[in-house]
Every structure is written in C-alpha cells, then in structure tokens.
C-alpha cells in the first residue's frame, strides 16, 4: 500500500485528492500458509497456497467486527435520556478479498481478483409514555459498501518492455433510511360523543444511491536504460450513476422520487518518465489527458505533472512538485446537523467537472539510518466544487438533485511534520498536520468564504512500540483531530394554522401536573429553523488512546500471539453526529418547550482479548 499526497505521477487520474494505491499480494505457489485472529471485538482469517504447484495459486482473506454487540449495553447507557426511552446504537463492518493467479509461461500470467465489503451504522429508540397512551419505535440506518472484480493479463515482450491488460467491474452503494411505528391513544372529536381511540401508524423513508463501472485498461512499461522508466497507457470506463432514489412509505402506500440514472463514458491516456538526470537529481515528468461524455456534452482536460527530488547531501533532500488533476465525480455532503451523509454524484450537462492545481515543497533528513524527519507544505486551488444551496438537502423532493446544488471555488493548504524512529527495540512515529480548507460560492453565505465540512485544523498521530526481548511487545496509539464544521440553527420559528372541519387533536407529549389528563394542541404547526452562517460551528475534537500488550511465542509450525488491549482507554465520548432535540415541560395547562443540541457518540472504553496465529 502506498499513499501519494502530492507530486502525482501521470498514470494516476480521475481524482483531485490524494491517491491510495493498493496492490494485492499473490498466493504462495509452493506451500500452504495461513494466519488469523479471533477476539472479542473481531475475527479475521487469511489462507494462501498452490492449486497447481509452480503454476497456479490462490489467496483469500476475510474479517468481521462484532464490536456493536459487545458495546451495545454501554452505548445504550451513555445515550439514555430518561426512564421512558430505550436506546440502541451500533456500528460494524465486514470484508472479503480473494485472488487467483496462473502462470502460463515465463512471459504470460493472468490474475483474477475480487473484493466485497460493507459498513453499517444503525440506531433504534423505543419510547413509552408514563401513562402508556403513546408507544413508538424509531429505527434508522446508514450503510455503504463496495464490490469490485478485476481480470488482468500480464505479458513480457522483452526484459525491457512489458504490458498489462485489465478489465474491471465495480459497484458502490450508499443506503440510508428511517422508519417509525407506534400506537397513539387520542380523543377522536369526529365521534359523538368524543371517545378515546387507539391508532396504529407507520412511516418510513429510504434513500438509495450508487455507482456502477465497467472499465478496460492497457498499460505499457518500458525501461530503455537505468536512467529512464517510461510508462504509458489508456483507460475507458462506462459509468452508470444512480444519484438517488428517495422513497416514502405511509402505512402500505409507497412513493418514489428522482430515480433517474445517468450513463456516461470516461476516457484517459497518459505518458510519463522517471528520469535520473544526475546522481543527485531525479525527476518525474508526465502528461495526463482525460475526457468525459454525458448526454450531448463532452468535457476534456489536459493535466501536466512534474516532480523533482534533489539530494543536498547524502542524508538531506529537497523535493517539489506541481500537479493538475480533474475529477468527474463530485462529493456532495450535508453540512447541517444529523447523520453524516456523503453522496457521489456525476458531472452532467449542467455541472462541470472539478479541477485542481497543487504545488508542494518539502525536506527530508535521515539520521544514522535510524531516524527520519520530514517537513512538507502544500497549496491547492479547486474549481467547480459542489455544495447544496441554502436550505436544500437530498430529502427535498420539489426538484431534481441537479437543481439543489451550486458550483464554486475551493482552497486547501497547510503543512505536515513527520518524525519516525525506524530501528531498535523502541520504535514509533509522530505526525502533525496543520491545514485549512475552505469554499466560496456567490449564492451561499452571502458570497463570503466558509470552512468546508472536512476542514481539519489540527491532526496529530502518535505511535510508540516497545519490544522486550522476542516475546513481549507493548504499543500505544494516540490520535487527535479537530472536529468537523457544521451549520447549526440559531433559532426556530413556528407557523400555526388552525384546524377546521373534521379533525383529530394532536398530542404535544405533555401532561397536566399531578393528573393523568393528556394536554392537546388544537393547531397544526410547521416549524422552521433559522441557520446562521454556513459551517460556523465546529464539533468537539476527536481524540482517543489505544493500548495493547502482545505475548509472542515461536512454534515449530509458526507463531502465535495473545494480545490484550484497551480501545479508547480514557473513555472519550467522541462525537459521531449532532441532532436537535426538544425538551417539553407542562406547568398547569401551559406547555413550554426548548430546543437543545444532542450529541451521539459511538464506542466508549472497550477492553479486548484476541488470539493470533501464523503457520
């Protein structure tokens, strides 16, 4: 796995952010091997070996966390509001990876690989009134996942030239929904005389969004001499975008909105060269071109790339880079309170592709092959970034999603300091990033710049590992990150309309003191929130400490470890999301209410024990 945060080589495209390049290892063609771990929080297994010795091998890996089951009682206690409600909240994920490779000859190999994984957050709240006239269950869930499969043929023409031909299918899906069911005991004024009537009701909402891609890619790698490494290639992707299908259900009636699909083609080609100019100077120079067809519109962007590294001494180097990037898929995030929901939507005939220009410069210094320190700064400008209009969300069904968004400008800049100790019985690293990310839209926030949802002013990671001989290893990790920026209501106003004709009287969840008589409201009311400036509120910072100790034992058949750990050692209640709640009080026949912000947190302090093995 390699992360590239600046100086992107020309072979990478389609994104304006960092690149995470993941390569799957190949199964052992000679012997069968395995490793795994079973604990109270999660389990994982990996097996590899030959199918046909020296010709065909496989590797398969899977993992599943069940931390939601263990943490459920603790989370319920942490989020419980009163004696009348019962709250559950949890999160889990799983993934499965598999790969087969076959060697036809010394010049030809084929690879077939697949990945499948899902993450799910869910919550459930049950409420029973003090005199049992109201009972309700509220369920909500947030789920996202990927499925991908790839076939690759590798052919070696000469010892200086080889090619890869790859066919890929991928599917991303995002699904969120909520439903409420319950029974209500009300006075029905349509009856003569009025009577108490128990009514059962059900309301549900679901939002389904996703992307499917079919792609084909050809790449050539040519090494004419030790001073040049030339890469070239092309790619074609057929996209099917489902920006979102919103479905409402009331009792047995289902209504769907905005279920249009967008189909498009994306093209790309590149040429790059790793050049060693002198013993101290090395550069990567390249050009990436990409195009996108949707409807009658064709977009294309030329993207030059250049990066260089110069050795000032044998231990001190300086590097600099410039990159232009283009992206045809837009991230659309809600900035208001509530569950965090990120959607990926396409470039269309109305919405242009996003572009960025980034420059970076940095220094790196090694000390006695044991220590490494680096300092790097960057500045990036972005055009045609996307944001919801004022007051719009993807739950607004009055118009299609294209008419709910605006495009504007963005900036991101900062610096990163990284110090690492790589050798010895005591190892570890500390990384600190100071950064700013903002947006500017003529029709949002009065045209003023505002911080983006994922603006993270400070980001710190500290990892320390201490080994005691060959059998005991102690480790600790501490992370800190500034909270997300969100838009919070600064007030609320109500528009009241009297109910006429045949009507029911709606409860307001209040009771007269010292009586069993329910208080009712004789008007239907519509509430509207008054938001302040865009993203002017920052959530509490995220930080936690994880500790573990490993007891290692070498065996004839391999290695085993017992690991005892503590997740979130000082039980920090980190914010997952913030919502708005109403506190209602009844004094005599007067009902008063006030609005409060309610923070929902996931995992408290969680101890863990796991057994790991390798053979």
């Amino acid at each position: 796995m390699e992360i590239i945060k600046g100086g992107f080589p020309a072979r990478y495209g389609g994104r304006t952010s960092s690149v995470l390049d993941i390569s799957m290892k190949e199964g052992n063609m000679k012997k069968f091997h395995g490793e795994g771990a079973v604990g109270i929080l999660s389990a994982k297994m990996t097996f590899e070996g030959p199918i046909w010795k020296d010709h065909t091998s496989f590797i398969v890996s899977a993992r599943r966390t069940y931390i939601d089951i263990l943490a459920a009682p603790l989370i319920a206690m942490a989020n419980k509001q009163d004696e009348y409600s019962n709250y559950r909240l949890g999160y889990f994920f799983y993934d499965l990876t598999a790969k087969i490779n076959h060697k036809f000859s010394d010049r030809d190999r084929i690879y077939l690989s697949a990945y499948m994984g899902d993450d799910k957050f869910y919550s459930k709240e049950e409420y029973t009134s003090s005199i049992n006239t109201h009972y309700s269950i509220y369920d909500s869930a947030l789920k996202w996942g990927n499925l991908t499969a790839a076939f690759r043929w590798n052919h070696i023409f000469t010892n200086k030239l080889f090619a890869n031909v790859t066919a890929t299918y991928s599917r991303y899906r995002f699904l969120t929904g909520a439903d409420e069911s319950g029974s209500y005991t009300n006075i029905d004024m349509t009856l003569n005389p009025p009577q108490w009537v128990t009514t059962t009701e059900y309301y549900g909402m679901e939002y389904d969004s996703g992307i499917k891609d079919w792609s084909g890619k050809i790449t050539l790698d040519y090494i004419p001499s030790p001073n040049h490494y030339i890469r070239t290639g092309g790619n074609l992707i057929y996209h099917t975008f489902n920006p979102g299908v919103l479905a409402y259900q009331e009792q047995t009636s289902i209504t769907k909105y905005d279920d249009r699909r967008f189909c498009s083609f994306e093209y790309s080609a590149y040429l790059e060269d790793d050049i060693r100019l002198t013993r101290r100077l090395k550069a990567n120079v390249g050009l990436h071109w990409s195009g996108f067809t949707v409807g009658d519109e064709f977009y294309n962007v030329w993207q030059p790339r250049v990066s260089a590294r110069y050795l000032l001494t044998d231990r001190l180097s300086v590097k600099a880079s410039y990159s232009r990037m283009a992206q045809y898929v837009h991230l659309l995030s809600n900035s208001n309170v509530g569950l965090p929901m990120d959607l990926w939507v396409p470039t269309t005939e109305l919405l242009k592709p996003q572009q960025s220009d980034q420059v970076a410069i940095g220094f790196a210094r090694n000390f006695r092959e044991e220590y490494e320190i680096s300092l790097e700064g960057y500045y990036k400008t972005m055009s045609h970034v996307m944001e919801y209009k004022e007051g719009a969300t993807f739950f607004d069904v009055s118009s299609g999603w294209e008419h709910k968004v605006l495009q504007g400008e963005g900036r991101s800049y900062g610096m990163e300091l990284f110090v690492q100790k790589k050798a010895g019985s005591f190892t570890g690293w500390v990384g600190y990033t100071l950064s700013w990310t903002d947006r500017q839209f003529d029709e949002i926030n009065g045209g003023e710049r505002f911080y983006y949802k994922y603006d993270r002013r400070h980001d710190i990671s500290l990892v320390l590992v201490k080994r005691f001989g060959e059998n005991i290893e102690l480790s600790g990790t501490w992370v800190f990150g500034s909270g997300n920026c969100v838009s919070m209501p600064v007030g609320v106003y109500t528009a009241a309309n009297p109910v006429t004709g045949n009507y029911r009287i709606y409860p307001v969840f209040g009771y007269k003191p010292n009586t069993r008589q329910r208080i009712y409201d004789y008007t239907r009311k519509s509430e509207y929130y008054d938001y302040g400036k865009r993203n002017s509120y920052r959530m509490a910072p995220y930080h936690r400490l994880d500790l573990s100790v490993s007891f290692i034992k070498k065996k004839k058949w391999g290695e085993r470890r017992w690991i005892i750990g503590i997740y979130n050692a000082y039980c920090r209640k980190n914010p997952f999301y913030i919502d708005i709640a109403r506190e209602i009080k009844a004094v005599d026949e007067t009902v008063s209410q006030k609005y409060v912000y309610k923070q929902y947190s996931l995992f408290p302090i969680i101890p863990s024990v796991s057994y790991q093995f390798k053979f």
Side-chain angles (χ1 to χ4, degrees):
M1 182 176 67
E2 179 184 11
I3 184 168
I4 304 170
K5 295 176 287 184
F8 307 105
R11 60 186 179 273
Y12 298 108
R15 300 293 182 267
T16 59
S17 188
S18 300
V19 174
L20 187 63
D21 190 339
I22 302 174
S23 300
M24 293 175 59
K25 65 180 293 188
E26 299 170 15
N28 193 299
M29 283 197 170
K30 297 185 179 296
K31 293 182 179 181
F32 183 77
H33 292 282
E35 61 181 275
V38 179
I40 61 177
L41 300 183
S42 63
K44 57 184 178 179
M45 300 288 174
T46 300
F47 300 102
E48 62 175 308
I51 299 175
W52 177 13
K53 191 174 182 180
D54 295 327
H55 289 84
T56 310
S57 68
F58 79 94
I59 182 169
V60 60
S61 181
R63 62 178 177 166
R64 169 65 156 87
T65 177
Y66 28 82
I67 189 173
D68 56 316
I69 300 173
L70 177 70
L74 300 175
I75 293 174
M77 287 190 297
N79 292 281
K80 191 173 181 63
Q81 300 299 304
D82 52 52
E83 59 183 310
Y84 306 115
S85 62
N86 181 32
Y87 197 83
R88 292 181 57 205
L89 183 132
Y91 165 81
F92 69 88
F93 70 84
Y94 75 89
D95 54 50
L96 173 67
T97 307
K99 184 177 183 178
I100 295 176
N101 78 92
H102 177 72
K103 181 180 179 182
F104 287 97
S105 66
D106 291 339
R107 292 184 179 272
D108 293 279
R109 288 195 181 200
I110 60 170
Y111 306 84
L112 180 63
S113 58
Y115 167 85
M116 178 175 63
D118 279 310
D119 293 65
K120 183 177 181 180
F121 161 81
Y122 61 89
S123 66
K124 182 176 183 179
E125 186 172 12
E126 298 181 55
Y127 174 83
T128 305
S129 68
S130 59
I131 59 173
N132 297 320
T133 61
H134 172 70
Y135 173 75
S136 65
I137 300 176
Y138 181 79
D139 281 300
S140 62
L142 187 67
K143 181 180 178 181
W144 62 98
N146 288 279
L147 171 67
T148 182
F151 174 82
R152 179 166 64 95
W153 168 44
N154 174 260
H155 176 71
I156 300 174
F157 293 98
T158 69
N159 60 354
K160 294 183 178 181
L161 177 65
F162 66 90
N164 283 287
V165 179
T166 307
T168 305
Y169 167 79
S170 68
R171 184 219 67 196
Y172 167 77
R173 190 181 184 195
F174 171 89
L175 182 68
T176 182
D179 61 75
E180 183 174 9
S181 60
S183 60
Y184 307 85
T185 303
N186 301 328
I187 296 178
D188 193 336
M189 300 297 291
T190 64
L191 301 178
N192 189 16
Q195 298 179 17
W196 288 86
V197 177
T198 299
T199 304
T200 300
E201 297 181 347
Y202 174 84
Y203 303 94
M205 179 279 297
E206 182 180 271
Y207 195 92
D208 189 354
S209 176
I211 306 172
K212 291 182 181 179
D213 288 344
W214 295 90
S215 69
K217 180 171 65 173
I218 299 176
T219 63
L220 290 170
D221 288 44
Y222 178 52
I223 311 173
S225 71
N227 293 327
H228 291 272
Y229 191 138
I230 300 172
R231 296 179 176 93
T232 187
N235 191 19
L236 172 64
I237 305 174
Y238 177 69
H239 297 286
T240 303
F241 293 94
N242 173 23
V245 179
L246 182 62
Y248 286 102
Q249 181 175 353
E250 182 175 352
Q251 304 298 80
T252 59
S253 175
I254 301 177
T255 306
K256 292 186 177 181
Y257 298 91
D258 201 13
D259 57 353
R260 294 173 300 157
R261 283 171 165 76
F262 293 79
C263 298
S264 59
F265 284 95
E266 182 176 345
Y267 322 86
S268 65
Y270 69 89
L271 175 65
E272 70 171 81
D273 188 11
D274 272 320
I275 310 170
R276 183 176 294 277
L277 298 170
T278 67
R279 186 180 74 85
R280 294 186 178 275
L281 179 60
K282 183 179 179 181
N284 180 285
V285 180
L287 182 64
H288 185 100
W289 172 86
S290 64
F292 192 83
T293 301
V294 55
D296 296 328
E297 191 70 48
F298 176 67
Y299 301 98
N300 72 101
V301 184
W302 291 94
Q303 303 157 55
R305 318 280 177 80
V306 58
S307 62
R309 186 214 65 190
Y310 183 76
L311 293 175
L312 298 173
T313 69
D314 290 341
R315 296 185 180 275
L316 177 62
S317 63
V318 59
K319 57 182 179 180
S321 65
Y322 165 76
S323 301
R324 170 168 291 178
M325 309 284 278
Q327 181 170 315
Y328 301 97
V329 184
H330 298 273
L331 175 61
L332 192 54
S333 297
N334 66 316
S335 61
N336 297 339
V337 294
L339 282 173
M341 298 178 186
D342 292 343
L343 300 179
W344 294 97
V345 295
T347 292
T348 69
E349 294 173 280
L350 300 177
L351 302 171
K352 296 180 180 180
Q354 180 178 321
Q355 295 185 44
S356 71
D357 290 274
Q358 177 174 303
V359 294
I361 186 170
F363 297 86
R365 176 74 159 88
N366 291 321
F367 299 89
R368 297 179 301 167
E369 306 300 331
E370 184 177 356
Y371 295 91
E372 178 182 344
I373 182 171
S374 63
L375 178 65
E376 186 169 358
Y378 71 96
Y379 187 91
K380 177 165 68 173
T381 59
M382 294 165 279
S383 60
H384 306 133
V385 293
M386 191 178 292
E387 189 85 0
Y388 281 114
K389 293 180 180 179
E390 298 284 11
T393 70
F394 52 82
F395 293 124
D396 177 11
V397 297
S398 60
S399 60
W401 68 270
E402 292 175 279
H403 302 284
K404 304 173 192 174
V405 299
L406 295 169
Q407 291 194 292
E409 310 297 320
R411 299 182 304 182
S412 183
Y413 52 94
M415 54 79 64
E416 179 184 77
L417 174 66
F418 184 76
V419 180
Q420 181 178 19
K421 185 177 186 295
K422 300 183 289 185
S425 62
F426 183 78
T427 58
W429 72 82
V430 58
Y432 170 67
T433 302
L434 174 66
S435 63
W436 290 262
T437 302
D438 61 30
R439 297 288 189 266
Q440 192 275 322
F441 297 80
D442 292 339
E443 300 177 45
I444 297 178
N445 205 47
E448 297 180 9
R449 288 189 176 273
F450 58 90
Y451 290 121
Y452 186 50
K453 174 181 178 179
Y454 295 116
D455 172 78
R456 179 165 292 181
R457 187 71 64 253
H458 305 283
D459 187 280
I460 305 171
S461 61
L462 174 64
V463 177
L464 300 175
V465 179
K466 173 63 178 178
R467 296 177 178 84
F468 300 90
E470 296 183 354
N471 303 111
I472 299 177
E473 183 177 284
L474 183 66
S475 64
T477 301
W478 184 74
V479 294
F480 176 95
S482 300
N484 289 345
C485 293
V486 295
S487 300
M488 301 288 278
V490 295
V492 61
Y493 60 92
T494 303
N497 301 307
V499 180
T500 60
N502 295 328
Y503 60 87
R504 284 190 315 175
I505 304 170
Y506 291 80
V508 293
F509 304 103
Y511 299 90
K512 289 185 179 181
N514 305 317
T515 73
R516 296 174 63 84
Q517 182 179 354
R518 191 70 176 265
I519 297 173
Y520 288 88
D521 186 359
Y522 287 84
T523 62
R524 298 190 184 200
K525 297 181 179 180
S526 298
E527 295 176 337
Y528 300 91
Y529 294 121
D530 179 17
Y531 286 87
K533 291 189 175 182
R534 180 66 65 100
N535 292 351
S536 59
Y537 179 84
R538 190 178 291 274
M539 295 169 63
Y542 180 101
H543 56 87
R544 76 170 199 271
L545 173 67
D546 301 336
L547 300 170
S548 72
V549 58
S550 302
F551 300 94
I552 308 164
K553 188 76 172 181
K554 302 290 185 180
K555 299 283 189 178
K556 291 182 179 179
W557 49 263
E559 178 185 293
R560 69 106 174 113
R561 290 183 180 222
W562 280 101
I563 302 177
I564 301 173
I566 299 176
Y567 176 93
N568 196 3
Y570 50 84
C571 201
R572 164 71 174 176
K573 290 185 178 181
N574 286 302
F576 181 63
Y577 72 96
I578 295 176
D579 210 348
I580 300 173
R582 288 191 298 179
E583 291 184 353
I584 301 176
K585 295 181 179 180
V587 180
D588 295 328
E589 295 186 1
T590 302
V591 179
S592 63
Q593 66 178 4
K594 69 175 181 178
Y595 290 81
V596 295
Y597 297 133
K598 180 181 177 183
Q599 175 182 296
Y600 290 89
S601 301
L602 281 177
F603 307 120
I605 181 172
I606 301 176
S608 67
V609 178
S610 65
Y611 175 76
Q612 293 186 1
F613 59 87
K614 291 182 180 180
F615 63 87

